[in-house]
């Protein structure tokens, strides 16, 4: 069964508080989402394999560690997932980035896929699907199915905030996928918004309404 990790590091939780606040404007919201994504990436990459190599320091020869070449792919779900990409790339600059375009139909709340573009070797990569919000779980579920249909084998899901309903959907449909969150919130409201949540992540990131 996939594990659910809530990353309750004090820096993540502090910044998340300001992300949630209604009074936080677009510029600050964007900067904070970026920063939290970077901090979360630090935790998510904790189990990356390393190998020992021998190097010359200015003083002597030393056996030291280096990443053993595991290939990573980031897959933001458009559009709000884009807000987390740069923060992660600042830690893993060599990662390739694919995109899945999905929006929630406001009536049915069902996701509609409108775009997909992925690295050619996704089956060899460890993919991190990124979206600030896991609400009903429909978008992330569809995105993960779409990646698996195209050969992806190794997937993690990273979201800022999730509702229990969305987590259950991913656990049931994708027991192989570990979920990383900054917060597991209380519930969904009747419009499918996460409570207490942060409102509409895409609109707050891009200043739309
Ligand atoms: C938001 C969010 C997720 C989705 C979560 O996207 O960024 O992708 O809703 O909801 P779900 O778990 O119920 O599917 P939205 O559809 O508003 O599109 P946007 O990113 O383009 O604003
Ligand atoms: N999408 C958002 O942007 N916010 C929510 O609370 C739920 C879905």
């Amino acid at each position: 069964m996939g594990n659910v990790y809530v990353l309750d590091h004090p820096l993540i939780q502090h910044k998340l508080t300001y992300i949630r606040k209604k009074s936080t404007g677009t510029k600050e919201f964007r900067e904070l989402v970026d920063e939290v994504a970077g901090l979360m990436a630090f935790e998510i990459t904790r189990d990356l394999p390393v190998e020992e190599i021998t190097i010359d320091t200015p003083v002597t020869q030393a056996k030291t560690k280096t990443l053993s070449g595991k290939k990573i792919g980031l897959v933001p779900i458009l559009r709000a997932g884009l807000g987390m990409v740069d923060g992660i790339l600042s830690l893993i600059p060599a990662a390739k980035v694919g995109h899945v375009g999905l929006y929630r139909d406001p009536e049915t709340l069902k996701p509609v896929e409108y775009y997909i573009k992925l690295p050619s070797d996704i089956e060899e990569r460890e993919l991190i699907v990124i979206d600030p919000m896991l609400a009903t779980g429909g978008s992330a579920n569809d995105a993960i199915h779409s990646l698996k249909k195209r050969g992806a084998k190794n997937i993690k899901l990273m979201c800022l905030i999730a509702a229990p309903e969305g987590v259950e959907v991913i656990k049931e449909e994708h027991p192989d996928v570990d979920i990383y969150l900054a917060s597991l919130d209380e519930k969904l409201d009747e419009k499918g918004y996460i409570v207490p949540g942060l409102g509409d992540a895409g609109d707050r990131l891009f200043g739309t309404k």
Side-chain angles (χ1 to χ4, degrees), residues 104 133 135 192-194 199-201:
R104 284 204 315 181
M133 311 305 276
Y193 276 87
I194 300 176
D200 187 306

Side-chain angles (χ1 to χ4, degrees), residues 12-199:
I12 294 176
Q13 296 307 315
H14 174 82
K15 288 173 193 291
L16 185 61
T17 295
Y18 288 87
I19 288 173
R20 288 183 189 276
K21 278 179 87 166
K22 195 175 165 181
S23 56
T24 299
T26 301
K27 175 177 178 290
E28 200 188 348
F29 186 90
R30 211 178 269 154
E31 288 166 357
L32 287 164
V33 168
D34 212 39
E35 288 169 19
V36 170
L39 291 167
M40 292 181 75
F42 189 75
E43 288 292 329
I44 289 192
T45 50
R46 193 174 277 286
D47 61 353
L48 281 182
V50 289
E51 60 186 319
E52 206 169 64
I53 59 166
T54 305
I55 59 159
D56 293 315
T57 77
V59 181
T60 184
Q61 245 191 11
K63 286 189 192 306
T64 56
K65 286 175 183 160
T66 179
L67 289 173
S68 72
K70 187 147 194 178
K71 295 172 164 185
I72 295 189
L74 309 181
V75 185
I77 299 179
L78 305 180
R79 110 199 113 131
L82 288 177
M84 299 171 74
V85 172
D86 285 348
I88 303 172
L89 284 179
S90 64
L91 288 190
I92 323 169
K96 296 236 168 118
V97 183
H99 295 87
V100 179
L102 290 171
Y103 68 88
R104 284 204 315 181
D105 182 292
E107 300 297 321
T108 62
L109 301 183
K110 296 270 179 263
V112 182
E113 187 175 297
Y114 60 87
Y115 184 78
I116 184 148
K117 184 81 181 172
L118 302 167
S120 56
D121 55 354
I122 55 164
E123 65 287 344
E124 293 165 24
R125 290 188 178 266
E126 174 157 324
L127 298 179
I128 306 176
V129 175
I130 307 163
D131 195 321
M133 311 305 276
L134 180 64
T136 64
S139 303
N141 180 29
D142 267 32
I144 294 169
H145 274 304
S146 218
L147 295 176
K148 287 183 174 174
K149 204 169 69 189
R150 290 168 173 83
K153 294 188 178 68
N154 199 341
I155 301 176
K156 291 177 172 173
L157 174 64
M158 172 175 172
C159 304
L160 292 187
I161 300 180
E165 294 87 334
V167 169
E168 280 316 305
V169 167
I170 301 300
K171 279 170 76 172
E172 254 182 46
E173 295 270 329
H174 305 286
D176 54 315
V177 172
D178 285 342
I179 305 172
Y180 294 81
L181 307 171
S183 174
L184 179 57
D185 274 13
E186 228 175 89
K187 59 178 183 182
L188 290 178
D189 71 9
E190 65 289 348
K191 289 189 186 141
Y193 276 87
I194 300 176
V195 180
L198 54 72

